[in-house]
Amino acid sequence: MKTKLIALALCTAAATTGLYAQQSTTAATQATIQQPQAGDKAVQRTADMVTELGLTAEQTPKVEAINGRYAKSMSDLKAAGLDEQAQKVRASALRDGRDHDLKGVLTAEQYEKMLTLRKEKKAEGMQQKQNAVQHTE
């Protein structure tokens, strides 16, 4: 357990170390395009979790803080301009860290329901993607 936490901390540190070192006109251009901000995503994700998982008043601010940190980290990661493979590895580490934090806040039933809903949404997204490919052929 300690080893996993240390590895996660190292991955997070590695992911955020060079994020501000690379600023290009591409990043500036992307910032001007109307995209949802990290905070907006975190608030929406938390609102969804409140309704889907039945979060308590005590759990909601904790989950919102976790989602906020995750959304900010993902936003910074996307802006870092890393190659696709490195970005996938770091994103996976960030997701694992978020899930670990959420597991400490949610009840066992809520956590399992969250994982089940995530699988369902992923399957739904894959189905929509498959349908879109079939319609373009």
PDB file of all heavy atoms in Angstrom, residues 49-56 59 102-118 120:
ATOM      1  N   MET A  49     -22.399  12.983  -9.318  1.00  0.00           N
ATOM      2  CA  MET A  49     -22.156  11.999  -8.264  1.00  0.00           C
ATOM      3  C   MET A  49     -23.156  12.162  -7.114  1.00  0.00           C
ATOM      4  O   MET A  49     -23.569  11.175  -6.507  1.00  0.00           O
ATOM      5  CB  MET A  49     -20.721  12.101  -7.759  1.00  0.00           C
ATOM      6  CG  MET A  49     -19.699  11.640  -8.782  1.00  0.00           C
ATOM      7  SD  MET A  49     -17.999  11.871  -8.244  1.00  0.00           S
ATOM      8  CE  MET A  49     -17.834  10.458  -7.146  1.00  0.00           C
ATOM      9  N   VAL A  50     -23.539  13.407  -6.825  1.00  0.00           N
ATOM     10  CA  VAL A  50     -24.523  13.635  -5.763  1.00  0.00           C
ATOM     11  C   VAL A  50     -25.826  12.927  -6.114  1.00  0.00           C
ATOM     12  O   VAL A  50     -26.409  12.239  -5.276  1.00  0.00           O
ATOM     13  CB  VAL A  50     -24.759  15.152  -5.543  1.00  0.00           C
ATOM     14  CG1 VAL A  50     -25.983  15.403  -4.697  1.00  0.00           C
ATOM     15  CG2 VAL A  50     -23.533  15.793  -4.893  1.00  0.00           C
ATOM     16  N   THR A  51     -26.262  13.082  -7.358  1.00  0.00           N
ATOM     17  CA  THR A  51     -27.539  12.467  -7.742  1.00  0.00           C
ATOM     18  C   THR A  51     -27.418  10.965  -7.961  1.00  0.00           C
ATOM     19  O   THR A  51     -28.288  10.208  -7.540  1.00  0.00           O
ATOM     20  CB  THR A  51     -28.112  13.126  -9.014  1.00  0.00           C
ATOM     21  OG1 THR A  51     -27.156  13.027 -10.065  1.00  0.00           O
ATOM     22  CG2 THR A  51     -28.460  14.577  -8.772  1.00  0.00           C
ATOM     23  N   GLU A  52     -26.350  10.521  -8.595  1.00  0.00           N
ATOM     24  CA  GLU A  52     -26.213   9.105  -8.923  1.00  0.00           C
ATOM     25  C   GLU A  52     -25.858   8.245  -7.716  1.00  0.00           C
ATOM     26  O   GLU A  52     -26.304   7.112  -7.605  1.00  0.00           O
ATOM     27  CB  GLU A  52     -25.150   8.905 -10.006  1.00  0.00           C
ATOM     28  CG  GLU A  52     -25.551   9.478 -11.350  1.00  0.00           C
ATOM     29  CD  GLU A  52     -24.418   9.458 -12.359  1.00  0.00           C
ATOM     30  OE1 GLU A  52     -23.244   9.239 -11.974  1.00  0.00           O
ATOM     31  OE2 GLU A  52     -24.697   9.670 -13.550  1.00  0.00           O
ATOM     32  N   LEU A  53     -25.028   8.784  -6.823  1.00  0.00           N
ATOM     33  CA  LEU A  53     -24.539   7.996  -5.693  1.00  0.00           C
ATOM     34  C   LEU A  53     -25.205   8.358  -4.372  1.00  0.00           C
ATOM     35  O   LEU A  53     -24.994   7.674  -3.372  1.00  0.00           O
ATOM     36  CB  LEU A  53     -23.018   8.165  -5.549  1.00  0.00           C
ATOM     37  CG  LEU A  53     -22.178   7.821  -6.772  1.00  0.00           C
ATOM     38  CD1 LEU A  53     -20.710   8.099  -6.495  1.00  0.00           C
ATOM     39  CD2 LEU A  53     -22.388   6.373  -7.192  1.00  0.00           C
ATOM     40  N   GLY A  54     -25.972   9.442  -4.362  1.00  0.00           N
ATOM     41  CA  GLY A  54     -26.628   9.866  -3.134  1.00  0.00           C
ATOM     42  C   GLY A  54     -25.639  10.336  -2.077  1.00  0.00           C
ATOM     43  O   GLY A  54     -25.692   9.904  -0.925  1.00  0.00           O
ATOM     44  N   LEU A  55     -24.721  11.225  -2.485  1.00  0.00           N
ATOM     45  CA  LEU A  55     -23.730  11.730  -1.534  1.00  0.00           C
ATOM     46  C   LEU A  55     -24.401  12.503  -0.409  1.00  0.00           C
ATOM     47  O   LEU A  55     -25.395  13.197  -0.621  1.00  0.00           O
ATOM     48  CB  LEU A  55     -22.729  12.655  -2.238  1.00  0.00           C
ATOM     49  CG  LEU A  55     -21.873  12.051  -3.346  1.00  0.00           C
ATOM     50  CD1 LEU A  55     -20.920  13.114  -3.892  1.00  0.00           C
ATOM     51  CD2 LEU A  55     -21.107  10.848  -2.871  1.00  0.00           C
ATOM     52  N   THR A  56     -23.820  12.417   0.774  1.00  0.00           N
ATOM     53  CA  THR A  56     -24.328  13.166   1.919  1.00  0.00           C
ATOM     54  C   THR A  56     -23.773  14.584   1.888  1.00  0.00           C
ATOM     55  O   THR A  56     -22.852  14.885   1.124  1.00  0.00           O
ATOM     56  CB  THR A  56     -23.903  12.499   3.243  1.00  0.00           C
ATOM     57  OG1 THR A  56     -22.474  12.579   3.361  1.00  0.00           O
ATOM     58  CG2 THR A  56     -24.357  11.046   3.307  1.00  0.00           C
ATOM     59  N   GLN A  59     -20.117  14.422   2.579  1.00  0.00           N
ATOM     60  CA  GLN A  59     -19.288  13.873   1.514  1.00  0.00           C
ATOM     61  C   GLN A  59     -19.108  14.851   0.348  1.00  0.00           C
ATOM     62  O   GLN A  59     -18.044  14.878  -0.275  1.00  0.00           O
ATOM     63  CB  GLN A  59     -19.909  12.588   0.958  1.00  0.00           C
ATOM     64  CG  GLN A  59     -19.873  11.413   1.886  1.00  0.00           C
ATOM     65  CD  GLN A  59     -20.662  10.238   1.335  1.00  0.00           C
ATOM     66  OE1 GLN A  59     -21.773  10.421   0.845  1.00  0.00           O
ATOM     67  NE2 GLN A  59     -20.078   9.048   1.421  1.00  0.00           N
ATOM     68  N   LEU A 102     -11.289   8.946  -3.559  1.00  0.00           N
ATOM     69  CA  LEU A 102     -12.738   8.778  -3.470  1.00  0.00           C
ATOM     70  C   LEU A 102     -13.112   7.574  -2.615  1.00  0.00           C
ATOM     71  O   LEU A 102     -14.104   7.610  -1.881  1.00  0.00           O
ATOM     72  CB  LEU A 102     -13.349   8.627  -4.875  1.00  0.00           C
ATOM     73  CG  LEU A 102     -13.418   9.901  -5.708  1.00  0.00           C
ATOM     74  CD1 LEU A 102     -13.855   9.582  -7.136  1.00  0.00           C
ATOM     75  CD2 LEU A 102     -14.334  10.925  -5.079  1.00  0.00           C
ATOM     76  N   LYS A 103     -12.313   6.533  -2.688  1.00  0.00           N
ATOM     77  CA  LYS A 103     -12.593   5.339  -1.899  1.00  0.00           C
ATOM     78  C   LYS A 103     -12.562   5.662  -0.400  1.00  0.00           C
ATOM     79  O   LYS A 103     -13.302   5.063   0.378  1.00  0.00           O
ATOM     80  CB  LYS A 103     -11.571   4.250  -2.219  1.00  0.00           C
ATOM     81  CG  LYS A 103     -11.967   2.880  -1.730  1.00  0.00           C
ATOM     82  CD  LYS A 103     -11.031   1.822  -2.274  1.00  0.00           C
ATOM     83  CE  LYS A 103     -11.594   0.444  -2.010  1.00  0.00           C
ATOM     84  NZ  LYS A 103     -10.766  -0.600  -2.613  1.00  0.00           N
ATOM     85  N   GLY A 104     -11.752   6.636  -0.021  1.00  0.00           N
ATOM     86  CA  GLY A 104     -11.681   7.042   1.380  1.00  0.00           C
ATOM     87  C   GLY A 104     -12.866   7.876   1.827  1.00  0.00           C
ATOM     88  O   GLY A 104     -13.122   8.003   3.021  1.00  0.00           O
ATOM     89  N   VAL A 105     -13.605   8.448   0.892  1.00  0.00           N
ATOM     90  CA  VAL A 105     -14.736   9.323   1.219  1.00  0.00           C
ATOM     91  C   VAL A 105     -16.070   8.594   1.061  1.00  0.00           C
ATOM     92  O   VAL A 105     -16.977   8.763   1.873  1.00  0.00           O
ATOM     93  CB  VAL A 105     -14.718  10.590   0.327  1.00  0.00           C
ATOM     94  CG1 VAL A 105     -15.951  11.437   0.543  1.00  0.00           C
ATOM     95  CG2 VAL A 105     -13.462  11.408   0.593  1.00  0.00           C
ATOM     96  N   LEU A 106     -16.180   7.790   0.019  1.00  0.00           N
ATOM     97  CA  LEU A 106     -17.435   7.109  -0.281  1.00  0.00           C
ATOM     98  C   LEU A 106     -17.597   5.848   0.571  1.00  0.00           C
ATOM     99  O   LEU A 106     -16.610   5.254   1.004  1.00  0.00           O
ATOM    100  CB  LEU A 106     -17.484   6.706  -1.761  1.00  0.00           C
ATOM    101  CG  LEU A 106     -17.344   7.833  -2.792  1.00  0.00           C
ATOM    102  CD1 LEU A 106     -17.307   7.252  -4.190  1.00  0.00           C
ATOM    103  CD2 LEU A 106     -18.455   8.838  -2.651  1.00  0.00           C
ATOM    104  N   THR A 107     -18.843   5.453   0.757  1.00  0.00           N
ATOM    105  CA  THR A 107     -19.099   4.162   1.398  1.00  0.00           C
ATOM    106  C   THR A 107     -18.758   3.065   0.387  1.00  0.00           C
ATOM    107  O   THR A 107     -18.627   3.332  -0.816  1.00  0.00           O
ATOM    108  CB  THR A 107     -20.574   4.024   1.816  1.00  0.00           C
ATOM    109  OG1 THR A 107     -21.387   4.000   0.635  1.00  0.00           O
ATOM    110  CG2 THR A 107     -21.016   5.146   2.740  1.00  0.00           C
ATOM    111  N   ALA A 108     -18.647   1.839   0.864  1.00  0.00           N
ATOM    112  CA  ALA A 108     -18.324   0.725  -0.026  1.00  0.00           C
ATOM    113  C   ALA A 108     -19.385   0.573  -1.116  1.00  0.00           C
ATOM    114  O   ALA A 108     -19.063   0.327  -2.285  1.00  0.00           O
ATOM    115  CB  ALA A 108     -18.197  -0.567   0.775  1.00  0.00           C
ATOM    116  N   GLU A 109     -20.654   0.758  -0.744  1.00  0.00           N
ATOM    117  CA  GLU A 109     -21.739   0.629  -1.720  1.00  0.00           C
ATOM    118  C   GLU A 109     -21.670   1.738  -2.761  1.00  0.00           C
ATOM    119  O   GLU A 109     -21.869   1.499  -3.949  1.00  0.00           O
ATOM    120  CB  GLU A 109     -23.108   0.663  -1.014  1.00  0.00           C
ATOM    121  CG  GLU A 109     -23.368  -0.512  -0.104  1.00  0.00           C
ATOM    122  CD  GLU A 109     -22.723  -0.353   1.285  1.00  0.00           C
ATOM    123  OE1 GLU A 109     -22.406   0.796   1.699  1.00  0.00           O
ATOM    124  OE2 GLU A 109     -22.528  -1.379   1.939  1.00  0.00           O
ATOM    125  N   GLN A 110     -21.402   2.962  -2.314  1.00  0.00           N
ATOM    126  CA  GLN A 110     -21.307   4.084  -3.247  1.00  0.00           C
ATOM    127  C   GLN A 110     -20.136   3.886  -4.203  1.00  0.00           C
ATOM    128  O   GLN A 110     -20.248   4.165  -5.401  1.00  0.00           O
ATOM    129  CB  GLN A 110     -21.135   5.402  -2.487  1.00  0.00           C
ATOM    130  CG  GLN A 110     -22.374   5.880  -1.768  1.00  0.00           C
ATOM    131  CD  GLN A 110     -22.087   7.066  -0.875  1.00  0.00           C
ATOM    132  OE1 GLN A 110     -21.027   7.153  -0.256  1.00  0.00           O
ATOM    133  NE2 GLN A 110     -23.043   7.981  -0.803  1.00  0.00           N
ATOM    134  N   TYR A 111     -19.030   3.418  -3.679  1.00  0.00           N
ATOM    135  CA  TYR A 111     -17.841   3.214  -4.509  1.00  0.00           C
ATOM    136  C   TYR A 111     -18.109   2.151  -5.577  1.00  0.00           C
ATOM    137  O   TYR A 111     -17.776   2.346  -6.745  1.00  0.00           O
ATOM    138  CB  TYR A 111     -16.648   2.821  -3.642  1.00  0.00           C
ATOM    139  CG  TYR A 111     -15.353   2.762  -4.405  1.00  0.00           C
ATOM    140  CD1 TYR A 111     -14.681   3.920  -4.789  1.00  0.00           C
ATOM    141  CD2 TYR A 111     -14.792   1.536  -4.763  1.00  0.00           C
ATOM    142  CE1 TYR A 111     -13.503   3.867  -5.497  1.00  0.00           C
ATOM    143  CE2 TYR A 111     -13.607   1.474  -5.470  1.00  0.00           C
ATOM    144  CZ  TYR A 111     -12.966   2.639  -5.832  1.00  0.00           C
ATOM    145  OH  TYR A 111     -11.788   2.576  -6.544  1.00  0.00           O
ATOM    146  N   GLU A 112     -18.714   1.047  -5.177  1.00  0.00           N
ATOM    147  CA  GLU A 112     -19.039  -0.008  -6.133  1.00  0.00           C
ATOM    148  C   GLU A 112     -20.030   0.494  -7.185  1.00  0.00           C
ATOM    149  O   GLU A 112     -19.908   0.172  -8.365  1.00  0.00           O
ATOM    150  CB  GLU A 112     -19.595  -1.246  -5.415  1.00  0.00           C
ATOM    151  CG  GLU A 112     -18.553  -2.013  -4.642  1.00  0.00           C
ATOM    152  CD  GLU A 112     -17.398  -2.496  -5.503  1.00  0.00           C
ATOM    153  OE1 GLU A 112     -17.638  -2.977  -6.629  1.00  0.00           O
ATOM    154  OE2 GLU A 112     -16.249  -2.368  -5.048  1.00  0.00           O
ATOM    155  N   LYS A 113     -21.010   1.273  -6.758  1.00  0.00           N
ATOM    156  CA  LYS A 113     -21.989   1.828  -7.695  1.00  0.00           C
ATOM    157  C   LYS A 113     -21.293   2.762  -8.681  1.00  0.00           C
ATOM    158  O   LYS A 113     -21.603   2.769  -9.876  1.00  0.00           O
ATOM    159  CB  LYS A 113     -23.101   2.561  -6.945  1.00  0.00           C
ATOM    160  CG  LYS A 113     -24.219   3.028  -7.843  1.00  0.00           C
ATOM    161  CD  LYS A 113     -25.377   3.593  -7.052  1.00  0.00           C
ATOM    162  CE  LYS A 113     -26.508   4.001  -7.975  1.00  0.00           C
ATOM    163  NZ  LYS A 113     -27.650   4.545  -7.234  1.00  0.00           N
ATOM    164  N   MET A 114     -20.328   3.558  -8.191  1.00  0.00           N
ATOM    165  CA  MET A 114     -19.579   4.466  -9.060  1.00  0.00           C
ATOM    166  C   MET A 114     -18.829   3.670 -10.130  1.00  0.00           C
ATOM    167  O   MET A 114     -18.860   4.018 -11.315  1.00  0.00           O
ATOM    168  CB  MET A 114     -18.583   5.292  -8.245  1.00  0.00           C
ATOM    169  CG  MET A 114     -17.738   6.245  -9.080  1.00  0.00           C
ATOM    170  SD  MET A 114     -16.376   6.998  -8.165  1.00  0.00           S
ATOM    171  CE  MET A 114     -15.229   5.631  -8.081  1.00  0.00           C
ATOM    172  N   LEU A 115     -18.183   2.585  -9.722  1.00  0.00           N
ATOM    173  CA  LEU A 115     -17.450   1.756 -10.683  1.00  0.00           C
ATOM    174  C   LEU A 115     -18.385   1.120 -11.702  1.00  0.00           C
ATOM    175  O   LEU A 115     -18.074   1.062 -12.895  1.00  0.00           O
ATOM    176  CB  LEU A 115     -16.649   0.683  -9.945  1.00  0.00           C
ATOM    177  CG  LEU A 115     -15.513   1.181  -9.045  1.00  0.00           C
ATOM    178  CD1 LEU A 115     -14.848   0.012  -8.338  1.00  0.00           C
ATOM    179  CD2 LEU A 115     -14.506   2.003  -9.820  1.00  0.00           C
ATOM    180  N   THR A 116     -19.554   0.668 -11.241  1.00  0.00           N
ATOM    181  CA  THR A 116     -20.542   0.068 -12.132  1.00  0.00           C
ATOM    182  C   THR A 116     -21.052   1.096 -13.140  1.00  0.00           C
ATOM    183  O   THR A 116     -21.134   0.817 -14.343  1.00  0.00           O
ATOM    184  CB  THR A 116     -21.719  -0.504 -11.320  1.00  0.00           C
ATOM    185  OG1 THR A 116     -21.217  -1.475 -10.406  1.00  0.00           O
ATOM    186  CG2 THR A 116     -22.759  -1.134 -12.223  1.00  0.00           C
ATOM    187  N   LEU A 117     -21.387   2.297 -12.655  1.00  0.00           N
ATOM    188  CA  LEU A 117     -21.862   3.355 -13.552  1.00  0.00           C
ATOM    189  C   LEU A 117     -20.784   3.740 -14.559  1.00  0.00           C
ATOM    190  O   LEU A 117     -21.083   3.999 -15.734  1.00  0.00           O
ATOM    191  CB  LEU A 117     -22.293   4.577 -12.745  1.00  0.00           C
ATOM    192  CG  LEU A 117     -23.581   4.420 -11.947  1.00  0.00           C
ATOM    193  CD1 LEU A 117     -23.766   5.604 -10.998  1.00  0.00           C
ATOM    194  CD2 LEU A 117     -24.766   4.290 -12.880  1.00  0.00           C
ATOM    195  N   ARG A 118     -19.554   3.761 -14.125  1.00  0.00           N
ATOM    196  CA  ARG A 118     -18.441   4.106 -15.015  1.00  0.00           C
ATOM    197  C   ARG A 118     -18.341   3.084 -16.147  1.00  0.00           C
ATOM    198  O   ARG A 118     -18.174   3.448 -17.318  1.00  0.00           O
ATOM    199  CB  ARG A 118     -17.138   4.153 -14.219  1.00  0.00           C
ATOM    200  CG  ARG A 118     -15.957   4.603 -15.050  1.00  0.00           C
ATOM    201  CD  ARG A 118     -14.683   4.578 -14.251  1.00  0.00           C
ATOM    202  NE  ARG A 118     -14.701   5.570 -13.195  1.00  0.00           N
ATOM    203  CZ  ARG A 118     -13.817   5.609 -12.208  1.00  0.00           C
ATOM    204  NH1 ARG A 118     -12.846   4.721 -12.149  1.00  0.00           N
ATOM    205  NH2 ARG A 118     -13.888   6.542 -11.280  1.00  0.00           N
ATOM    206  N   GLU A 120     -20.741   1.158 -17.281  1.00  0.00           N
ATOM    207  CA  GLU A 120     -21.907   1.317 -18.144  1.00  0.00           C
ATOM    208  C   GLU A 120     -21.741   2.493 -19.098  1.00  0.00           C
ATOM    209  O   GLU A 120     -22.056   2.394 -20.288  1.00  0.00           O
ATOM    210  CB  GLU A 120     -23.167   1.498 -17.301  1.00  0.00           C
ATOM    211  CG  GLU A 120     -23.601   0.259 -16.556  1.00  0.00           C
ATOM    212  CD  GLU A 120     -24.741   0.506 -15.581  1.00  0.00           C
ATOM    213  OE1 GLU A 120     -25.236   1.652 -15.487  1.00  0.00           O
ATOM    214  OE2 GLU A 120     -25.130  -0.456 -14.894  1.00  0.00           O
TER     215      GLU A 120
END
